[in-house]
Amino acid sequence: MTPLLLACPGNEALGESLRRALDADPVAFAMRRFPDGETYLRIDSDVRDRSVAVLCSLHDPDARLSSLVFASDAVRELGARQVGLVAPYLAYMRQDRRFLPGEAVTSTSFARLLSAQFDWLVTVDPHLHRRRSLGEIYTIPAEIVHAAPLLAGWIRDHVAAPLVVGPDSESEQWVRAVADAVPCPYVVLEKTRRGDRDVAVSASPKSRLAADRTPVLVDDIISSARTMIETAGLWREAGAAAPVCIGVHGVFAPGAYEALSAAGAGKIVTTNSIAHASNDIDLAAVLLEPIERACRNVSSRNSAAGSNRGK
Ligand code: R5P
């Protein structure tokens, strides 16, 4: 059965596009803040015996977590058969180990919280670096959707002779996939991060600063934008065309988008995983099947568990 879709505040644009793709009914709700900062939530749709997909991108996660917990608890208490989470941007993936003694490994704690709350998770290109799969920290079925085919389609439609550029070795996984799908050449540079907003990017000896192609910088996240700014600077210094900057997730810390524009980016493009003026790539088409599959799998698992219980 088609799930109901509950799009949390801030996720309306992708929510509408996804709702149409899934042919799903929305979950109507009222959510507001009390004067003391606490959340009021009322579910206005009948969710009994339905699968509910909660759509909530998790940038600024601490501010979103409590309403997410209230929403999933409420629909479950009102009779939903299963509650899944569609988090196009999955937060807390970067602190994946204790770099300094005493540090909290927040990716593990966050995964534990979400696993306790939802039956399944679908997300887009999470920042898997030292971990190979979400199954290492999530105990619920968690499917990863890749935006590379959509990024490649956008590049094909908008850039005549692209050269895809990855700022660091971590980016090679999606940069290669994007370039192969365009198809076009790619280079991967070297990055050193010295602090939250202090990044140095250099061309590796193997990279070719091809002047006859338009550089298309591709990264999973644009946050402070320092990575993109430093990479763009390298290409501008080499006399290349103004680089197109594509981020899967435009997190954009305050002032970051403006700083990247001022640094000479030709065009800044992101997917609609996080609502932003730069959104030009709609994720609905790639999210559709994984959501339907997750609902089906959990339903069959629950039915199997139900029928075994009577034996
Ligand atoms: C880091 O490893 C990621 O792949 C991105 O390169 C990084 O998150 C970008 O962050 P910022 O925009 O703050 O440089």
Side-chain angles (χ1 to χ4, degrees):
M1 188 193 263
T2 311
L4 295 170
L5 187 69
L6 191 162
C8 289
N11 295 264
E12 290 80 3
L14 177 56
E16 184 47 28
S17 165
L18 197 51
R19 196 191 62 69
R20 274 189 265 114
L22 285 164
D23 195 19
D25 287 326
V27 173
F29 63 92
M31 190 185 279
R32 68 177 175 83
R33 293 254 179 237
F34 286 107
D36 61 3
E38 292 185 2
T39 297
Y40 170 84
L41 171 67
R42 188 186 66 240
I43 304 292
D44 291 327
S45 297
D46 183 1
V47 297
R48 274 172 303 172
D49 282 331
R50 300 295 304 269
S51 301
V52 176
V54 177
L55 172 66
C56 188
S57 221
L58 287 169
H59 55 299
D60 197 5
D62 297 6
R64 287 168 215 282
L65 191 60
S66 48
S67 23
L68 197 58
V69 169
F70 301 147
S72 70
D73 276 351
V75 291
R76 225 184 266 285
E77 285 160 16
L78 292 169
R81 201 184 299 162
Q82 58 165 279
V83 189
L85 173 63
V86 184
Y89 176 68
L90 187 58
Y92 282 116
M93 288 302 293
R94 289 187 277 182
Q95 184 79 31
D96 55 5
R97 74 178 173 90
R98 224 179 296 287
F99 299 93
L100 295 173
E103 282 180 347
V105 184
T106 48
S107 63
T108 310
S109 306
F110 196 67
R112 198 178 301 127
L113 283 172
L114 292 186
S115 297
Q117 209 60 41
F118 292 96
D119 294 306
W120 51 263
L121 167 70
V122 171
T123 186
V124 181
D125 288 326
H127 191 82
L128 282 174
H129 179 197
R130 279 160 284 267
R131 292 205 171 91
R132 277 173 303 159
S133 79
L134 289 177
E136 290 179 29
I137 46 175
Y138 281 82
T139 54
I140 50 175
E143 180 159 348
I144 293 176
V145 173
H146 296 291
L150 298 177
L151 268 50
W154 189 95
I155 294 170
R156 220 180 292 123
D157 291 347
H158 295 86
V159 186
L163 172 70
V164 173
V165 181
D168 55 23
S169 57
E170 286 171 40
S171 68
E172 179 151 10
Q173 43 183 317
W174 40 85
V175 162
R176 192 186 331 110
V178 169
D180 288 353
V182 173
C184 69
Y186 75 91
V187 291
V188 172
L189 310 182
E190 284 167 8
K191 177 170 93 176
T192 313
R193 184 178 284 281
R194 294 181 289 243
D196 289 351
R197 291 169 190 271
D198 185 3
V199 167
V201 179
S202 58
S204 87
K206 285 178 287 178
S207 72
R208 312 177 309 281
L209 297 180
D212 54 340
R213 289 189 166 261
T214 301
V216 181
L217 318 188
V218 174
D219 207 353
D220 59 339
I221 300 169
I222 310 178
S223 176
S224 70
R226 290 314 311 176
T227 302
M228 285 276 182
I229 289 170
E230 294 301 320
T231 312
L234 212 59
W235 292 87
R236 297 312 306 258
E237 277 165 27
V244 175
C245 297
I246 304 185
V248 177
H249 306 292
V251 173
F252 293 117
Y257 180 75
E258 294 72 16
L260 181 54
S261 303
K267 187 161 174 54
I268 305 168
V269 177
T270 56
T271 75
N272 56 356
S273 76
I274 298 171
H276 187 264
S278 60
N279 292 169
D280 203 23
I281 300 173
D282 186 3
L283 291 170
V286 289
L287 287 168
L288 173 63
E289 281 183 19
I291 293 173
E292 290 175 335
R293 190 163 39 244
C295 289
R296 261 196 322 272
N297 290 346
V298 169
S299 289
S300 352
R301 196 191 61 198
N302 289 350
S303 322
S307 51
N308 283 340
R309 217 170 284 140
K311 289 181 184 167

